[in-house]
Amino acid sequence: MSAPSIATAPLSAQLRERTRAAHERAESVPFITDLMHGRLDRDAYADLAAQQYGIYVALEAASAELVGAARGSSLVFADLTRTPSIEADLAFLHGADWREHIAVLPAARAYAERIAQVAGDLPRYAAHAYTRYLGDLSGGQAIKRLVQRHYGLGEEGVAFYTFAGIAKPKVFKDTYREQLDALDLSPLELEMAVDEANVAFELSTALFAALGERHHA
């Protein structure tokens, strides 16, 4: 998409096109590529799940604030809620007393804190919801299959990637993008959303890099 056309494109298109480089950097961190190619172990995957928990607690607390709001409530879908699924995964991967055993990285805390800081800011909330949930429904589905294949997991341990209430992810993602575009953000708010989505990808990159320091191929 050319520069003049992207400048007038709807929010969902701008988020996709203008975060492409940051998104690719996050996906290419060695920890992620090693995990997806089966070069790590189940402990590495379990650690990733542990780091994600606080991020989704923060994101879904922000979502709860939008329920019934004049703007933004259209982005809140009960079927997207991930925290109970992550809790189930952590109980399976780390044991019933998982809260006592997981070691949360500073990079994961920073990510969760950033979401909490911008929770009442619709453009920035939209950026974080977009990067997380649409990613979970897209590349996340490939991650699920690869993790199951390489680390001997069935459905237990990968509940995070299972959206029981969403039968057709592509249809849902299209609907979600339509809701993003219907927010009718001002030009300034649109820029804020794009900037924050890039921040979100950079926070993911930092987290994956930190995980890579713990887990080596």
Side-chain angles (χ1 to χ4, degrees):
M1 188 175 291
S2 66
S5 59
I6 192 62
T8 58
L11 175 61
S12 62
Q14 296 216 32
L15 286 170
R16 181 182 65 250
E17 296 299 324
R18 296 175 63 192
T19 64
R20 190 179 298 277
H23 191 174
E24 290 175 355
R25 283 194 296 274
E27 289 181 330
S28 63
V29 174
F31 171 82
I32 291 297
T33 57
D34 287 341
L35 188 70
M36 295 306 96
H37 284 86
R39 293 191 287 262
L40 299 177
D41 55 24
R42 190 185 293 197
D43 286 345
Y45 170 67
D47 201 2
L48 172 62
Q51 306 312 315
Q52 289 177 323
Y53 181 63
I55 293 167
Y56 281 84
V57 167
L59 182 59
E60 288 166 5
S63 297
E65 292 183 20
L66 283 176
V67 174
R71 285 202 314 166
S73 60
S74 59
L75 295 182
V76 181
F77 294 84
D79 288 335
L80 289 175
T81 302
R82 296 292 86 203
T83 47
S85 298
I86 302 175
E87 289 172 347
D89 287 344
L90 293 176
F92 177 78
L93 294 164
H94 293 273
D97 54 351
W98 60 268
R99 293 178 190 275
E100 299 173 19
H101 295 291
I102 62 172
V104 180
L105 288 159
R109 290 197 185 92
Y111 196 160
E113 288 168 3
R114 177 65 181 187
I115 294 173
Q117 288 168 1
V118 303
D121 184 323
L122 177 57
R124 292 187 171 98
Y125 164 82
H128 285 284
Y130 163 85
T131 57
R132 297 307 315 184
Y133 292 129
L134 265 62
D136 300 335
L137 285 164
S138 299
Q141 300 309 296
I143 291 173
K144 176 184 177 180
R145 292 190 294 272
L146 290 168
V147 164
Q148 288 177 307
R149 180 191 309 166
H150 293 310
Y151 305 113
L153 295 167
E155 287 302 313
E156 288 186 301
V158 294
F160 170 74
Y161 299 105
T162 303
F163 291 80
I166 300 176
K168 297 181 178 180
K170 183 183 184 304
V171 173
F172 182 89
K173 288 186 292 181
D174 288 343
T175 298
Y176 196 88
R177 292 186 187 101
E178 290 170 1
Q179 298 290 11
L180 282 168
D181 296 340
L183 291 175
D184 193 28
L185 301 184
S186 70
L188 176 59
E189 288 178 319
L190 192 150
E191 288 298 314
M192 291 165 59
V194 171
D195 288 347
E196 191 67 22
N198 278 299
V199 168
F201 282 121
E202 295 302 335
L203 288 165
S204 288
T205 299
L207 175 56
F208 298 153
L211 280 163
E213 293 177 4
R214 276 187 180 173
H215 305 277
H216 306 281

